[in-house]
Amino acid sequence: MARTIEAVERVGTAGYVETPAGRIRVWECGAGTPLVFVHGLLTNSLLWRKVVPTLAEHHRCIVPDWPLGSHPESMRADADLSPDGLVAVTVAVLDGLGLERAVLVGNDTGGALSQLVAARHSDRVTALVLTNCDAYDNFPPRIFAPLMMAARVPGGLAALAQLLRIRALWRLPVAFGWLAKHPLHPGVVTAWLTPARTDGGVRRDLAKALQGIDPRYTLDAARALRSFERPVLLAWAPEDRLFPIAHAERLATELPDATVERVDDSYTFVPEDQPARLAQLIAAFVGDRVEA
């Protein structure tokens, strides 16, 4: 019998935060310094399920399902889900949770959004943790051009979502093949893909998010972050073929207080491939640089 993802994999207690775009489901556990996790496109809070239990022993872990195509309910029809709009959603979640500031932890597209929040709302960001993610002119990586095209063709995302019911396709580079080095839990991938396959409103949200992506956002963020004086951890997998470690090293030279830590045996999804190592790095970083 297939495992029940909700019962076995979820960590924490779910609640909802109202934002101008719609309500966001948020999972929480632990107490202490708040850490807000930001996943990327076509994943959700399950991306962090292996990392959060360790960190929740000493920190308040806040893990939203951001409206990036795997969220449980669609946003309002007029919601702005461009990068600008998603930054506003992130700030609204912080406001809704009563957080004056927090440590942002971003991966993949979520890392790009975390950079934008830090660049535009530095007073709300205690520190920044970036794992492999979009940066500079790499937003998005060129290999995802078919996904970007599908978002602009009527019915394109619906067709793609149906096609990805075939598990053999999950390991293609244009799907999850270059995102995760090690096999992904089939139930987790199903949980990521089901909302866009079954809910037209979620597909609409995904299309908005995809259509808004443009490297001018990450290039602007990189320039603004040169004056971001809060500590930054770049926990980066050098084997990743989508988000090169050269970008992490460049960020480390341009940001006032940034450190690169290499994470071996991983691709983009460091929280999936090397969760123990990532949790260790985040705990040490927050303990030494944020709570000291």
Side-chain angles (χ1 to χ4, degrees):
M1 181 179 294
R3 294 199 298 169
T4 302
I5 296 300
E6 292 288 339
V8 176
E9 302 285 7
R10 292 291 185 183
V11 177
T13 302
Y16 288 87
V17 175
E18 293 291 342
T19 77
R23 69 175 194 164
I24 305 294
R25 185 170 66 178
V26 176
W27 298 82
E28 280 201 61
C29 57
T33 300
L35 313 180
V36 176
F37 294 82
V38 191
H39 60 75
L41 287 160
L42 286 173
T43 64
N44 57 28
S45 55
L46 285 170
L47 179 74
W48 306 102
R49 71 196 184 283
K50 301 177 185 178
V51 176
V52 165
T54 298
L55 293 172
E57 294 175 9
H58 301 288
H59 307 94
R60 180 184 176 189
C61 293
I62 299 159
V63 196
D65 290 313
W66 302 100
L68 293 170
S70 298
H71 45 300
E73 60 183 62
S74 60
M75 298 293 99
R76 297 188 176 97
D78 62 350
D80 179 3
L81 299 179
S82 68
D84 290 331
L86 290 166
V87 167
V89 168
T90 306
V91 173
V93 168
L94 296 180
D95 290 341
L97 294 170
L99 295 175
E100 191 172 321
R101 62 183 60 88
V103 178
L104 291 187
V105 184
N107 174 257
D108 192 17
T109 325
L113 297 175
S114 297
Q115 291 171 60
L116 287 169
V117 175
R120 299 178 182 182
H121 302 276
S122 60
D123 59 317
R124 308 300 300 271
V125 181
T126 309
L128 186 60
V129 177
L130 299 177
T131 62
N132 295 58
C133 64
D134 307 79
Y136 299 109
D137 60 351
N138 191 35
F139 186 41
R142 292 180 182 176
I143 195 170
F144 294 122
L147 180 60
M148 305 296 291
M149 185 179 299
R152 290 172 167 79
V153 175
L157 288 177
L160 182 62
Q162 293 299 325
L163 189 63
L164 286 175
R165 297 181 74 169
I166 304 171
R167 291 190 180 186
L169 300 181
W170 294 355
R171 295 303 299 174
L172 291 176
V174 74
F176 296 103
W178 282 8
L179 290 168
K181 182 175 182 180
H182 301 292
L184 293 164
H185 187 302
V188 170
V189 178
T190 298
W192 289 344
L193 296 177
T194 297
R197 190 179 73 244
T198 59
D199 189 327
V202 170
R203 286 196 300 276
R204 178 196 63 216
D205 296 343
L206 175 60
K208 288 183 182 181
L210 286 166
Q211 290 168 12
I213 289 176
D214 190 289
R216 67 184 174 85
Y217 289 102
T218 38
L219 288 167
D220 287 347
R223 284 189 286 268
L225 288 172
R226 292 172 185 169
S227 60
F228 180 75
E229 296 184 350
R230 313 267 183 184
V232 178
L233 170 65
L234 298 149
W236 218 270
E239 291 181 62
D240 191 352
R241 288 173 281 188
L242 299 174
F243 304 110
I245 195 167
H247 282 174
E249 293 168 341
R250 180 179 169 187
L251 284 167
T253 64
E254 295 181 354
L255 274 61
D257 187 6
T259 303
V260 177
E261 292 284 354
R262 292 177 173 240
V263 181
D264 294 328
D265 196 25
S266 177
Y267 290 165
T268 301
F269 285 172
V270 179
E272 284 284 349
D273 285 332
Q274 293 299 326
R277 170 71 170 149
L278 180 58
Q280 176 189 46
L281 288 171
I282 295 173
F285 170 71
V286 173
D288 293 344
R289 303 305 312 282
V290 178
E291 300 172 338

